[in-house]
Amino acid sequence: MTRRHWAEECGVVGIAAVPGASELASLALHALQHRGQESAGITVADGHRLQTFKKMGLVADVFDEAVTRGLGGNYAIGHVRYSTSGSSNLLNAQPLQVASHRGTVSLAHNGNLVNAPELRRDMEIDGSIFSTTSDTEVILHMLARSGEPAWEDALAEILPRVKGAYSLVMLTRDKLIAARDPYGFRPLCLGRYRDSYVTASESCAFDIIGAEYLRDIEPGEMVILGPGELTSRRVGDTAPEKRCVFEHVYFSRPDSRVFGINVEQARRRSGEILGREAPAEADLVCAVPDSSNTAALGYATATGLPFELALIRNHYVGRTFISPAQKVRDMSVRIKFNPVAAVITGKRIVVVDDSIVRGTTMRKLVKIIRAAGAKEVHLRIASPPVTNPCYYGIDTPVRNELIASSHTVEEIATYLRVDSLAYLSLSGLLEATGEGDRYCDACFTGNYPVSFAEMSGKLVFDDHVAGAEIKVMPLAPGDESGVGK
Ligand code: AMP
């Protein structure tokens, strides 16, 4: 029986009432590429109809100038997607555009709905037929069933029944709607572009188009964006804010403002605190580029050790974690990082990384660094041990694949063959982000704010129920999904 994971990591953008919306959305997606590299898609609206273009691949490959310009429209939503489940196919690529009794609508979503399997099963028993394995489609089905005549009222009506993490953008023929779950797990910010509004997972998407960051869309807030207009309303239950702390550890770009906080500063503070908590007798500090550059700089400042570029990253291969098969991931560590022997040979080195998940990457990296002549390798991790899977949209592996779920720090140090290993404390991490009580730290503590059904250590749904016929779509060159053109 094949099982597919629901978890996805994604980035979303929305552009309201601006000529050339498709071009702006495409640029904004470029800035969010780090949030997902498997597929990219944009839906545009011009007041009359919606048009969606999406393909497997990187934004630059999917949206060349001709495609982007051809889309036109003055409203747009966009999405980049990543999933490790093997269910990576064009059918699951977003935005999802569908026709319904209320007209055509398109939806793109970042997060993970923990009750999607139950909601879906109920609707399937009731006669619904699903064509994707994405939980975004569950929201679309619920919208189609709502008795509310207006899209925004339908969304406000159904969202209280949806549990888990969602930062979503929805496009009708003349309106952009954006909403965040009441806990605010995943980020979503609001910006001004000329005399209208834009929204995106991270503020770096605003910088690239010259939009101004205004504020975050609040947890439990829905905004309806029209020409120069913003209407805000509350949706869903009230809940304690639970922002994903891993956005600051790893996922977001340092040049972004996420949850109203500058990622660079939070990450640098985490390195400084790590330096104070776990100094090392060493000659130099280096980062595992690029995700730990900022934390390593903070560590160097706090300890007074020189920061050196001891590892060079090949930017033309993706993040190692992002390769779906373990085999590919193993090989890509070597493809991705090369040590600078002149910096390393004969030196006692502190290597700072943002996190250890499975431990696969670091074990190989330590081997490479030692082979380049390092005398000692002291590993410092700018987050606590990852002991629990995430069910709210960061795709961490199942529990038994998380090295820290079943091994002590000493055992991990032995496995990685490092001379010493220390992790940042949870209090240190929360101090670095500020407003620590407003964060979800379930991956480090197992304190899950929203309960979920756990199957095989991972939230999954059963293909036999969902439709085992769903196969990877043939991807002929130029293949596209143009629903409702
Ligand atoms: P590993 O321990 O081999 O599973 O890989 C850990 C590395 O992957 C860390 O150094 C991070 O830079 C990166 N990483 C951590 N979490 C994620 C994630 N959810 N998605 C992609 N990469 C991640």
Side-chain angles (χ1 to χ4, degrees):
M1 186 189 297
T2 326
R3 288 190 189 282
R4 292 171 197 271
H5 298 184
W6 283 82
E8 289 172 13
E9 295 168 341
C10 304
V12 295
V13 302
I15 313 283
V18 182
S22 57
E23 280 150 304
L24 293 173
S26 158
L27 278 172
L29 286 185
H30 274 86
L32 298 182
Q33 185 74 83
H34 60 289
R35 297 185 72 89
Q37 293 101 33
E38 279 187 5
S39 65
I42 292 177
T43 301
V44 293
D46 60 5
H48 305 287
R49 61 173 201 157
L50 270 69
Q51 197 183 345
T52 297
F53 189 94
K54 56 191 179 184
K55 252 172 84 168
M56 303 303 290
L58 297 176
V59 179
D61 300 326
V62 176
F63 292 102
D64 61 26
E65 219 185 313
V67 168
T68 312
R69 211 171 273 154
L71 280 170
N74 53 348
Y75 283 81
I77 57 170
H79 189 267
V80 284
R81 174 173 187 265
Y82 160 62
S83 88
T84 48
S85 62
S87 63
S88 142
N89 60 37
L90 188 54
L91 275 180
N92 277 343
Q94 297 189 28
L96 285 184
Q97 181 181 329
V98 292
S100 85
H101 63 91
R102 223 178 273 110
T104 307
V105 72
S106 188
L107 187 65
H109 159 229
N110 171 213
N112 189 44
L113 311 183
V114 296
N115 64 339
E118 293 97 278
L119 291 168
R120 178 175 174 142
R121 206 157 294 151
D122 289 350
M123 289 189 282
E124 283 179 324
I125 289 165
D126 210 24
S128 288
I129 297 167
F130 285 77
S131 55
T132 75
T133 59
S134 157
D135 51 0
T136 310
E137 197 182 2
V138 172
I139 302 179
L140 287 169
H141 273 268
M142 293 172 79
L143 283 171
R145 286 161 176 252
S146 163
E148 294 289 344
W151 281 113
E152 57 269 37
D153 295 333
L155 191 62
E157 192 247 315
I158 64 127
L159 284 180
R161 282 184 277 136
V162 168
K163 305 291 173 217
Y166 55 83
S167 280
L168 59 84
V169 285
M170 184 168 123
L171 190 64
T172 69
R173 64 189 168 83
D174 57 3
K175 239 174 253 165
L176 169 65
I177 301 170
R180 234 175 125 204
D181 70 75
Y183 292 86
F185 285 108
R186 308 256 67 88
L188 192 60
C189 41
L190 181 72
R192 176 166 278 281
Y193 181 80
R194 298 193 183 151
D195 55 1
S196 198
Y197 293 97
V198 290
T199 181
S201 298
E202 292 180 37
S203 68
C204 64
F206 296 163
D207 298 340
I208 198 169
I209 60 172
E212 180 201 349
Y213 169 89
L214 290 178
R215 64 174 176 88
D216 276 12
I217 292 176
E218 294 296 320
E221 182 185 13
M222 174 169 97
V223 293
I224 303 134
L225 305 172
E229 295 160 11
L230 181 151
T231 313
S232 166
R233 53 198 268 191
R234 298 286 315 165
V235 283
D237 311 328
T238 46
E241 194 170 355
K242 288 291 166 198
R243 314 154 167 177
C244 169
V245 75
F246 218 78
E247 289 279 350
H248 279 299
V249 169
Y250 168 78
F251 209 47
S252 297
R253 262 173 52 161
D255 52 337
S256 282
R257 193 198 270 243
V258 157
F259 306 128
I261 290 163
N262 184 300
V263 178
E264 200 274 348
Q265 285 171 2
R267 226 167 256 178
R268 193 179 281 259
R269 274 195 299 267
S270 71
E272 286 169 5
I273 298 169
L274 180 63
R276 290 200 295 271
E277 286 183 352
E281 281 287 314
D283 302 310
L284 61 95
V285 181
C286 76
V288 181
D290 296 318
S291 53
S292 65
N293 287 349
T294 320
L297 280 167
Y299 189 94
T301 308
T303 56
L305 291 172
F307 174 84
E308 297 283 352
L309 298 174
L311 289 167
I312 299 300
R313 181 179 162 172
N314 181 338
H315 284 100
Y316 305 97
V317 291
R319 289 179 174 195
T320 54
F321 196 102
I322 279 168
S323 312
Q326 182 78 22
K327 228 165 102 192
V328 178
R329 193 168 45 245
D330 285 357
M331 290 188 313
S332 57
V333 176
R334 204 160 247 297
I335 298 169
K336 213 168 124 181
F337 299 109
N338 203 33
V340 184
V343 173
I344 288 176
T345 308
K347 297 282 172 31
R348 299 169 301 164
I349 296 180
V350 177
V351 178
V352 176
D353 202 359
D354 56 271
S355 57
I356 295 176
V357 182
R358 296 176 176 87
T360 326
T361 313
M362 192 45 77
R363 189 174 151 98
K364 287 174 184 304
L365 210 49
V366 171
K367 201 169 155 195
I368 291 169
I369 293 168
R370 286 205 188 276
K375 203 159 103 192
E376 291 172 19
V377 179
H378 300 276
L379 183 58
R380 297 292 180 266
I381 304 297
S383 61
V386 177
T387 47
N388 298 275
C390 175
Y391 299 99
Y392 312 126
I394 290 275
D395 190 50
T396 46
V398 294
R399 191 183 309 271
N400 60 13
E401 285 179 27
L402 298 170
I403 191 167
S405 72
S406 52
H407 294 89
T408 63
V409 174
E410 292 70 32
E411 286 167 346
I412 298 170
T414 307
Y415 171 75
L416 298 176
R417 302 194 186 109
V418 290
D419 296 283
S420 74
L421 167 65
Y423 288 85
L424 179 63
S425 67
L426 181 62
S427 58
L429 176 62
L430 296 178
E431 182 191 333
T433 55
E435 304 177 314
D437 54 336
R438 296 168 81 171
Y439 282 88
C440 171
D441 52 24
C443 53
F444 305 123
T445 61
N447 298 331
Y448 292 103
V450 178
S451 61
F452 53 88
E454 197 175 3
M455 293 156 74
S456 316
K458 188 79 182 176
L459 193 77
V460 293
F461 81 90
D462 184 336
D463 267 348
H464 283 257
V465 177
E469 295 313 303
I470 295 173
K471 293 255 162 44
V472 174
M473 292 258 295
L475 276 180
D479 191 5
E480 67 178 88
S481 165
V483 199
K485 273 188 182 174

